[in-house]
Amino acid sequence: AAAADDHDEL
Amino acid sequence: MNIFRISADLLHLASFFILIFKMKATKSCKGISFKTQLMYTLVFTCRYLDLFHVLGMMITFNFAHITGLTLYNTFMKILFLAASYYIVYLMRTELKSTSDDARDTFVLWHILAPCAVLALIFNAQFTILEILWTFSIYLEAVAVMPQLMLLIETGEADSLSSHYMFAVGGYRALYLVNWVYRYATEPYYSNWIAWIAGFVQTALFGDFFYYYFVKIMSGDAALKLPT
């Protein structure tokens, strides 16, 4: 899934 | 987390400190585009809304999903937000009289509207958070355009301004290397949105990098662009 939690970068 | 990613983040952090130091030391924000700085506050505000998610987990003592990386990201996100808002605040309060507003003529809608439309069309998931995240990625790629336009308009930048520009541009270039590294070493599905936007962002700084290195090599105090 592409939830916001998956954005592990800044 | 790899060496390229951490270097990129530290370079990004350095860019804020260079700019704040420059403004505080010279008591001036001459040559710095307020519009670009304003766009960065919008970029971080839209991108880091997941801070509320982390905050929610913390106040409900739900620590199961909070990893070292979450804590690192959270710490950096707060720093980036605080620094960018502080810069905008400084430029609109004590340093307002030194601001290059008359020459800062870029029309923000020319980047805001396309980025908003692109984010609505090309996103990984049609949710508010994901669209705002995507919008922030697109906007960051082009947010430097008012600054570049001001630089071309004035024809030169002082030493600290050009170090600042180098740090901001270099950070995304290092992220490109980080993505290649992660693609090669992790079972990591590539994020094409970030890749393409990151490439555009770095390309926009390309011209500047060239003049930066020419300047560093020749040891000039100020960066002068050919008119």
Side-chain angles (χ1 to χ4, degrees):
Chain A
D5 315 9
D6 289 343
H7 302 309
D8 62 353
E9 293 178 340
L10 300 167
Chain B
M1 183 69 75
N2 57 65
I3 186 75
F4 308 110
R5 160 80 196 278
I6 190 99
S7 308
D9 290 346
L10 293 177
L11 196 57
H12 198 185
L13 197 56
S15 77
F16 292 111
F17 286 113
I18 292 168
L19 186 52
I20 293 171
F21 169 79
K22 174 205 142 69
M23 296 199 303
K24 283 287 179 187
T26 62
K27 292 188 169 56
S28 165
C29 57
K30 188 176 175 291
I32 300 299
S33 165
F34 176 75
K35 288 178 177 172
T36 284
Q37 296 307 320
L38 190 65
M39 288 303 97
Y40 285 141
T41 63
L42 186 59
V43 163
F44 298 132
T45 306
C46 292
R47 188 176 305 167
Y48 299 154
L49 287 171
D50 59 348
L51 278 176
F52 289 108
H53 182 65
V54 175
L55 183 70
M57 290 197 290
M58 283 179 169
I59 60 177
T60 54
F61 295 100
N62 176 16
F63 298 121
H65 300 289
I66 297 181
T67 61
L69 184 61
T70 309
L71 291 177
Y72 167 83
N73 282 342
T74 301
F75 178 70
M76 294 299 257
K77 286 170 185 177
I78 293 169
L79 272 182
F80 289 175
L81 277 166
S84 61
Y85 273 87
Y86 181 59
I87 289 163
V88 162
Y89 167 80
L90 278 180
M91 293 183 80
R92 271 300 165 267
T93 52
E94 57 188 274
L95 302 180
K96 188 168 193 327
S97 60
T98 64
S99 193
D100 255 330
D101 294 339
R103 292 192 289 192
D104 195 8
T105 52
F106 191 88
V107 182
L108 289 178
W109 288 114
H110 292 173
I111 50 174
L112 284 170
C115 288
V117 171
L118 283 175
L120 284 168
I121 301 170
F122 302 104
N123 55 63
Q125 204 176 60
F126 203 79
T127 60
I128 290 174
L129 275 185
E130 190 64 25
I131 288 167
L132 286 174
W133 179 87
T134 311
F135 171 69
S136 83
I137 293 288
Y138 295 152
L139 186 60
E140 187 191 356
V142 291
V144 76
M145 288 177 85
Q147 180 64 64
L148 287 175
M149 204 173 162
L150 182 62
L151 199 62
I152 292 165
E153 183 86 10
T154 55
E156 64 174 68
D158 62 46
S159 186
L160 279 170
S161 299
S162 46
H163 291 348
Y164 164 73
M165 291 282 282
F166 176 79
V168 183
Y171 124 78
R172 219 54 180 177
L174 278 171
Y175 256 89
L176 288 177
V177 184
N178 156 60
W179 292 327
V180 172
Y181 181 86
R182 289 189 71 169
Y183 187 74
T185 59
E186 290 177 35
Y188 171 75
Y189 64 90
S190 52
N191 190 335
W192 289 107
I193 289 171
W195 281 60
I196 294 168
F199 185 79
V200 170
Q201 184 171 350
T202 307
L204 272 176
F205 278 86
D207 226 26
F208 174 80
F209 283 154
Y210 173 76
Y211 290 112
Y212 181 82
F213 284 115
V214 168
K215 187 209 85 154
I216 295 291
M217 290 303 171
S218 64
D220 285 347
L223 177 72
K224 287 192 174 59
L225 300 176
T227 45

